[in-house]
Amino acid sequence: MCISTGEAAFSGTIVYCGRQHHPEHGLVHVLGYQNTAANLADGPNAMVLHLPARQLTPRHFLSSGRTGDVLHRMVDAVESAAAATDGIAWMGSELQPVQVFDHDIYTVLLATDPTAVPAALRQVPPHRRPDLDPDLLRFYADHFADHTIAVCCFDNADARRAKPCCCGTRPSTPTA
């Protein structure tokens, strides 16, 4: 589940977790997370998710296209992305400490070390840049060391249904 850095209203949350056998990469785990977000704070805000994976990149965020029913089509999206000419770079790429990219209504900071997030906030547009408590980020670093943290920054006072944050990754250890 998510938390927010300021007052917010999240509703209609849908979570999808699954596993799929990929012909080249073997077993992959798939996560889909979608909600409706409204910023109730006086300034920018962020939704924070801890994701049970390492080495996530923006390429692992799968496009959901124009529709909101991607969670029902998640396995098909993973198979289609892997079949593309350049496929999904599952492993072996050099990762930045924090990757910053736009995804629908969010500017996302993706980090394997949550304590590296504050330095990367300058890459977030000022109207979306939240104040993040370093103690919160230290908590995630201490208690979820094998997770990637996604800080999804937003500033829309009117509730907007965000496109899902969908990630596909290989498990770090073999799973039966």
Side-chain angles (χ1 to χ4, degrees), residues 163-175:
K163 288 185 179 173
C165 293
C166 305
C167 308
T169 185
R170 291 175 58 179
S172 56
T173 56
T175 305

Side-chain angles (χ1 to χ4, degrees), residues 16 30-32 62 70-79 166:
Y16 171 85
V30 180
L31 169 71
L62 306 173
V70 70
L71 296 180
H72 301 286
R73 299 178 293 114
M74 183 59 67
V75 172
D76 291 338
V78 171
E79 290 173 347
C166 305

Side-chain angles (χ1 to χ4, degrees), residues 1-11 13-15 32-39 44-51 61 103-110 117 121 128-132 136-137 140 149-156 160 162-166:
M1 286 305 197
C2 73
I3 64 167
S4 60
T5 59
E7 190 175 352
F10 297 114
S11 60
T13 301
I14 301 171
V15 179
Y33 191 92
Q34 182 178 24
N35 63 20
T36 298
N39 185 11
N45 208 337
M47 173 179 72
V48 180
L49 297 166
H50 61 281
L51 306 171
F61 275 63
H103 182 77
D104 196 41
I105 68 168
Y106 302 113
T107 298
V108 179
L109 294 94
L110 198 58
V117 168
L121 279 172
R128 286 189 180 169
R129 191 179 305 149
D131 289 325
L132 285 170
L136 173 67
L137 298 170
Y140 278 109
I149 191 167
V151 179
C152 306
C153 305
F154 65 100
D155 187 24
N156 51 288
R160 285 193 50 202
K163 288 185 179 173
C165 293
C166 305

Side-chain angles (χ1 to χ4, degrees), residues 47-112:
M47 173 179 72
V48 180
L49 297 166
H50 61 281
L51 306 171
R54 299 296 269 168
Q55 298 183 336
L56 286 178
T57 69
R59 289 180 53 143
H60 290 105
F61 275 63
L62 306 173
S63 172
S64 61
R66 295 180 184 185
T67 66
D69 67 345
V70 70
L71 296 180
H72 301 286
R73 299 178 293 114
M74 183 59 67
V75 172
D76 291 338
V78 171
E79 290 173 347
S80 296
T85 305
D86 55 0
I88 296 176
W90 295 101
M91 300 295 230
S93 60
E94 287 296 318
L95 295 178
Q96 301 294 323
V98 180
Q99 300 169 81
V100 181
F101 60 99
D102 288 327
H103 182 77
D104 196 41
I105 68 168
Y106 302 113
T107 298
V108 179
L109 294 94
L110 198 58
T112 56

Side-chain angles (χ1 to χ4, degrees), residues 142-154:
D142 291 345
H143 294 282
F144 298 99
D146 292 330
H147 288 60
T148 295
I149 191 167
V151 179
C152 306
C153 305
F154 65 100

